[in-house]
Amino acid sequence: MTIYDFKVKNVDGTEETLEKYRGKVLLIVNTATRCGLTSQYEGLEKLYEKYRDKGFEILDFPSNQFLKQAPESSKEIAEFCQLRYGTKFKTFAKIDVNGKDADPLYIYLKDKASEEIKNRETDSFKDKLEKLGQTLLGKEIKWNFTKFLIGKDGEIIGRFSPTVTPDEIDAEVARAILK
């Protein structure tokens, strides 16, 4: 099984396969609209604008699993992102990223890249996670804005913790595009 075998839901409820992204570099991100990290949408859009003409796509999967920070409908989330942050990358339907109802794509991503390869966690963020019973390493998604970088061949290049900003992974995106 590869990443291209997965079906995902659009905000209107229709399904599409990730096959249409074969040969592109992907950044898959679980997001939320009411999170302290929501401003990362701005950086994500800048990264997208910089590389989209070079075969780069961002796939946005909102999730309401972390302190209910994405309570809106999938359509409302997409509209919020477009209006507030000017996003042009694809926002999909809201999903669960952990637990018994986790989306199959995220089960696959977590299994293939169980620990973040790049962390820039502040002590306060670590403390917040620990209070919520979370750790920084392991398979489960720790928080909103965990990022997975996928190469043109569909292989996972890296998993980045929530506080690693889009700007901090710019060079890795550029390297993946050149491969």
Side-chain angles (χ1 to χ4, degrees), residues 3 5 14 17 163:
I3 197 160
D5 296 318
T14 60
T17 67
T163 58

Side-chain angles (χ1 to χ4, degrees), residues 4-168:
Y4 306 118
D5 296 318
F6 289 94
K7 291 182 181 179
V8 293
K9 286 192 178 176
N10 293 302
V11 293
D12 65 3
T14 60
E15 282 190 338
E16 70 176 60
T17 67
L18 294 182
E19 175 64 35
K20 73 186 263 182
Y21 299 102
R22 185 180 291 276
K24 295 187 177 216
V25 173
L26 306 175
L27 187 66
I28 299 175
V29 186
N30 66 293
T31 62
T33 54
R34 298 181 187 198
C35 173
L37 301 173
T38 299
S39 63
Q40 284 193 27
Y41 273 119
E42 186 177 332
L44 289 169
E45 182 57 27
K46 285 180 184 175
L47 198 63
Y48 181 64
E49 290 292 328
K50 184 174 183 178
Y51 294 114
R52 73 178 181 178
D53 292 336
K54 297 176 182 173
F56 176 64
E57 294 289 335
I58 294 177
L59 309 183
D60 173 13
F61 291 92
S63 180
N64 197 34
Q65 284 195 286
F66 303 101
L67 296 180
K68 309 281 185 221
Q69 294 180 337
E72 304 88 354
S73 72
S74 297
K75 184 178 178 187
E76 290 169 329
I77 290 169
E79 289 171 355
F80 168 85
C81 295
Q82 291 163 3
L83 293 173
R84 178 94 187 250
Y85 294 100
T87 60
K88 295 175 191 73
F89 53 81
K90 183 79 178 248
T91 298
F92 291 90
K94 192 163 41 171
I95 61 169
D96 282 354
V97 296
N98 290 329
K100 66 179 180 57
D101 295 323
D103 188 90
L105 172 62
Y106 267 79
I107 293 170
Y108 174 83
L109 291 170
K110 291 184 302 185
D111 185 54
K112 297 293 182 187
S114 64
E115 296 181 1
E116 280 84 5
I117 64 163
K118 185 172 184 177
N119 281 297
R120 188 191 54 81
E121 305 303 352
T122 62
D123 288 337
S124 64
F125 188 70
K126 286 180 187 176
D127 291 344
K128 287 177 187 176
L129 286 177
E130 288 172 9
K131 286 178 185 173
L132 294 168
Q134 305 260 2
T135 63
L136 290 174
L137 300 177
K139 287 188 177 191
E140 294 306 299
I141 301 297
K142 310 309 179 278
W143 203 254
N144 305 308
F145 293 90
T146 297
K147 301 156 200 75
F148 292 90
L149 184 60
I150 314 297
K152 294 177 189 175
D153 59 0
E155 295 295 319
I156 299 170
I157 295 171
R159 175 177 170 167
F160 305 94
S161 63
T163 58
V164 173
T165 65
D167 187 53
E168 292 176 297

